[in-house]
Amino acid sequence: PRRSLRHRRQKRKEPTMKNLEALDQEPYLWDYLQTVKKPIVLYGMGNGADAILDRCGRLGIPVAGVFASDEFVRGQEFRGYKVKTYKEMKAELGSFVILIAFASERPEILRRFFHLGEEQETYAPHLPLFGDTNLVTPAWIRENRGVLDRVYGKLADDASRQVMEDILRYKITGKLEYLSRTTDRRRDLETLFSFTDKESYGDLGAYNGDTIREFLELTGGHYDHLYAVEPDPKNFAKLQKYVETEQLGRCSLSPEGIWAQPAELPFAARGGRMSALEQNGKKTLPVTCLDDLVGDRPLTCLKMDVEGVEKEALSGGARVIRRCRPKMLLAGYHHDDDLWEIPLELWNLVPEYKIYLRRHPYVPCWEINFFVTL
C-alpha cells in the first residue's frame, strides 16, 4: 500500500519547466545590439520609437536611421532622423537590423512585420508598458524561477505551457518567431468556456461596448444582468449610446475606475483603449471595487482588462469571486510579473480554478489572456 500511494503521488506530479534553464541562456537582445556589426534602424515613429531610442542612447547603441510605411512617409523628421521608406533605407544600407517600434494587431501589418523578418534581421524589442523598472532578462528568469515553475506546472494544459515559454523567450530575445504561434480569441471563448442563457456578466474595462457585444453573441442575446465599468468619459459616452441603441435592459453602467477599494485616484484619459489610472494623471477619478459593484447578487462571468490594475481589481473583488466563482477572461500583459502574480492570486481565491494561458495576434507581445474556469 505504501508503494501504491507513492506511485499515485508520482502520477499526480505537476509538469516542471524543463527548459527554464535553457531560457536564461537565450541571447539577450539588448546585449546583442551592443555588439552587432550591421547598422540598426527603427521601423516606426511615436512613443514606441521614443522608448527604444532612449534605451539605445543609455546603452550606447548607435541607431543609423528611421523608416516608416510608405503611406506615412511625407519628408518628415523624427528625433533628428529623416524618415525614409524601406526601399530608400535598403538602397542606402543594404543589409541592416530592424527594430519594430510600434504595436499592431492588424493582419496586414502583422504580415508586413513577418515579411520584413524574411528579408532583414528583425526584432520587436520588449519594453514595459507602464514604466516598470525591471525588464525580463536572463537574470530575471533565474531570480523568478520558483514562481514561474510553480505556475507553469499548474496551468491547465500543454498549450498554456507552450504559450508561457514563447512569451518568456520572446521577451528576452525580441525574436518574431516566438510571436508567430497564436490562437483565435473567439474560438478560445467558445471552446474553453460554456455559456447559458442565465449569465450575469461583469465587464471591467468595457470600452465602447465591444466586449458586451461579444458576450451577447456568445449567449444568443440572453442574460440575467450586465455590469459594465468604463472610466474614460469619451468611451463611456460610446458605451451608453451602444446600450441605448441596443435597448439593453438589466444593465448597470458605471463611469468609475476599478480598484481594490473605493477611492479617488489620478487618471489619464486618452479617449481610447490606453486610458489608465496613472500617478501622473492630470485628473482625478472616483474608483469603485467589484465587491461593491455586484454586492450580494450573482456573477457568473467576468472579463477584466483594466490597463495594469488587474491585481488590485482582483483584490477588490475577492468576496464576490470566492462566493460566485465566475468564469473569467483576464488580461495578463500589462506587467511582466502578471504572468505569475495573477494566476497565484486566482488560486488563492479559488484553489479549484483551471487556468488556461492564451496569446492572440499582436506585435509586440500584447493580448496575453488568462481563461479561468472550474
Side-chain angles (χ1 to χ4, degrees):
R2 191 173 297 169
R3 184 167 57 240
S4 176
L5 177 60
R6 186 163 57 245
H7 177 68
R8 288 200 299 272
R9 283 175 176 166
Q10 288 172 348
K11 286 185 69 175
R12 287 200 304 266
K13 188 176 181 182
E14 293 164 346
T16 58
M17 201 166 180
K18 295 178 181 178
N19 295 327
L20 199 57
E21 291 185 13
L23 280 176
D24 65 25
Q25 301 302 313
E26 289 275 5
Y28 182 47
L29 176 61
W30 296 103
D31 287 346
Y32 171 71
L33 293 176
Q34 293 178 70
T35 62
V36 67
K37 302 302 181 185
K38 288 190 285 188
I40 298 168
V41 302
L42 269 57
Y43 174 26
M45 304 171 280
N47 293 341
D50 276 327
I52 292 173
L53 282 172
D54 289 346
R55 184 161 181 82
C56 286
R58 290 194 298 271
L59 296 174
I61 298 169
V63 174
V66 174
F67 75 95
S69 302
D70 291 356
E71 60 268 29
F72 292 108
V73 176
R74 298 287 185 273
Q76 67 269 52
E77 288 194 359
F78 179 76
R79 295 278 293 265
Y81 294 92
K82 181 182 177 183
V83 179
K84 302 177 181 178
T85 65
Y86 173 65
K87 185 177 180 180
E88 290 171 335
M89 195 67 72
K90 194 173 179 181
E92 179 182 330
L93 299 176
S95 179
F96 45 90
V97 173
I98 297 173
L99 302 183
I100 295 172
F102 66 101
S104 183
E105 62 182 334
R106 291 168 52 188
E108 70 275 17
I109 301 297
L110 297 181
R111 286 193 294 270
R112 188 179 297 173
F113 288 160
F114 285 97
H115 177 70
L116 284 173
E118 294 171 359
E119 290 199 355
Q120 303 282 358
E121 190 176 347
T122 303
Y123 303 92
H126 167 66
L127 290 171
L129 268 176
F130 288 98
D132 297 341
T133 54
N134 291 326
L135 278 174
V136 175
T137 65
W140 185 95
I141 296 286
R142 291 190 292 271
E143 179 183 348
N144 296 297
R145 177 172 177 174
V147 283
L148 289 169
D149 201 50
R150 181 180 171 193
V151 170
Y152 181 89
K154 287 193 68 174
L155 289 171
D157 63 359
D158 288 339
S160 299
R161 286 180 273 277
Q162 182 64 65
V163 171
M164 187 172 182
E165 289 190 37
D166 285 346
I167 290 168
L168 292 172
R169 283 195 169 90
Y170 157 73
K171 288 187 174 183
I172 292 172
T173 68
K175 292 180 179 179
L176 293 180
E177 64 187 88
Y178 297 124
L179 298 181
S180 63
R181 194 173 3 230
T182 60
T183 53
D184 178 75
R185 173 189 170 105
R186 181 60 175 265
R187 180 168 175 78
D188 288 337
L189 284 166
E190 293 172 341
T191 56
L192 298 177
F193 289 165
S194 59
F195 296 92
T196 73
D197 58 0
K198 301 287 187 184
E199 303 284 353
S200 290
Y201 176 58
D203 192 343
L204 307 186
Y207 187 42
N208 61 7
D210 58 342
T211 41
I212 291 179
R213 186 182 300 110
E214 175 185 69
F215 167 77
L216 294 175
E217 289 172 358
L218 291 163
T219 64
H222 301 290
Y223 62 93
D224 269 0
H225 201 90
L226 301 174
Y227 302 91
V229 176
E230 174 51 53
D232 184 278
K234 291 183 180 179
N235 294 342
F236 187 77
K238 294 175 184 177
L239 173 64
Q240 280 184 310
K241 184 177 180 180
Y242 166 71
V243 169
E244 291 167 1
T245 301
E246 297 298 318
Q247 297 182 330
L248 299 179
R250 305 185 307 283
C251 187
S252 304
L253 303 183
S254 173
E256 299 172 299
I258 202 78
W259 190 249
Q261 64 274 325
E264 189 98 9
L265 297 175
F267 181 71
R270 300 186 176 95
R273 293 187 183 273
M274 297 297 286
S275 298
L277 293 168
E278 289 183 7
Q279 192 171 3
N280 298 322
K282 295 181 179 179
K283 297 182 179 180
T284 60
L285 176 81
V287 293
T288 186
C289 63
L290 182 63
D291 284 343
D292 286 356
L293 185 72
V294 175
D296 295 327
R297 297 180 293 274
L299 186 72
T300 64
C301 185
L302 178 65
K303 167 252 166 180
M304 188 185 297
D305 188 346
V306 287
E307 300 304 325
V309 296
E310 282 77 13
K311 293 186 285 288
E312 291 82 359
L314 285 173
S315 174
R319 189 173 66 248
V320 164
I321 292 169
R322 285 194 175 108
R323 175 174 60 85
C324 299
R325 309 205 303 177
K327 51 183 166 284
M328 289 190 266
L329 172 61
L330 288 90
Y333 62 92
H334 295 113
H335 304 285
D336 290 327
D337 58 13
D338 286 347
L339 199 58
W340 76 78
E341 288 191 346
I342 287 177
L344 291 179
E345 179 56 24
L346 288 167
W347 284 317
N348 177 54
L349 294 172
V350 182
E352 297 82 8
Y353 267 148
K354 296 177 183 176
I355 300 179
Y356 298 84
L357 181 61
R358 296 294 187 262
R359 202 184 67 78
H360 304 133
Y362 223 113
V363 172
C365 195
W366 298 357
E367 284 306 307
I368 299 167
N369 288 294
F370 294 104
F371 289 77
V372 185
T373 187
L374 291 170

